Amino acid sequence: MRSFIKLLLPLLLVGVLAACTTTSTSSSSGSDQPAAQNYQEPDYYLDFDDIMIPKEIEYQNEGSYKLDNTKFRASIMKFKGRVEIPELVQYFINNMTKDNWTLVSNNKASSVQFLTFEKYNKSCVIEIDDTFASATTTIFAVEVKDAGDLKKK
């Protein structure tokens, strides 16, 4: 029985190692198979064309609000998703900066992180709440329309 186990153990080890290896098939330039393409949903803009939303968080109708009139546009956008909070914070800092927003403050209180951004006629606060099993992200954004008229008054 002991010699059977000694024989079986190396065979199992070889089988496990063989299952873990990947085979690489080389294709010639005249191959009929097209190259595999990776189609991923891109990140997107929602109510504001300069606040990029990562595809990993999902828009929540409940608690979201939009207001658009002749003087200003405001929006409260709520999202939920399973994401790493430090990566989400860095995502917003990088993309808001890329869209010409200025980071005014980055504050953390307990499990909630607040990012505040400003532009010439816009203001945005991003609240990221690290709740159990998912993160709730709320974006408060305001744009003052025709800001040139405000300076004259």
Side-chain angles (χ1 to χ4, degrees):
M1 180 71 168
R2 200 170 214 181
S3 63
F4 177 73
I5 292 175
K6 285 182 181 179
L7 180 61
L8 185 60
L9 188 60
L11 288 174
L12 284 174
L13 185 60
V14 168
V16 169
L17 290 175
C20 291
T21 60
T22 59
T23 57
S24 173
T25 57
S26 61
S27 60
S28 63
S29 60
S31 175
D32 291 338
Q33 295 179 348
Q37 295 182 3
N38 188 6
Y39 293 103
Q40 292 183 349
E41 263 186 59
D43 297 336
Y44 61 97
Y45 295 100
L46 192 61
D47 293 342
F48 286 78
D49 62 355
D50 54 358
I51 301 174
M52 186 171 277
I53 310 298
K55 63 184 174 287
E56 291 82 12
I57 58 176
E58 186 177 316
Y59 181 74
Q60 305 292 303
N61 280 323
E62 188 175 327
S64 294
Y65 178 78
K66 299 173 192 174
L67 173 66
D68 195 353
N69 63 30
T70 57
K71 300 282 184 192
F72 66 93
R73 176 171 57 145
S75 182
I76 299 172
M77 299 172 276
K78 288 202 171 264
F79 302 89
K80 268 196 170 185
R82 295 186 70 174
V83 293
E84 294 291 328
I85 302 305
E87 291 176 11
L88 185 61
V89 168
Q90 197 58 50
Y91 173 91
F92 280 117
I93 291 172
N94 291 344
N95 284 293
M96 295 291 277
T97 303
K98 194 182 329 175
D99 284 328
N100 299 316
W101 288 86
T102 302
L103 179 65
V104 176
S105 67
N106 180 356
N107 301 309
K108 184 173 183 178
S110 185
S111 64
V112 181
Q113 184 125 7
F114 293 94
L115 302 169
T116 306
F117 296 92
E118 287 183 351
K119 259 188 174 182
Y120 165 68
N121 62 335
K122 296 180 182 180
S123 185
C124 179
V125 175
I126 300 173
E127 174 189 7
I128 301 170
D129 189 357
D130 188 8
T131 55
F132 180 72
S134 70
T136 301
T137 303
T138 307
I139 300 174
F140 306 90
V142 176
E143 173 186 13
V144 177
K145 295 180 179 179
D146 205 11
D149 288 346
L150 294 176
K151 289 182 181 178
K152 294 176 187 175
K153 294 181 179 181

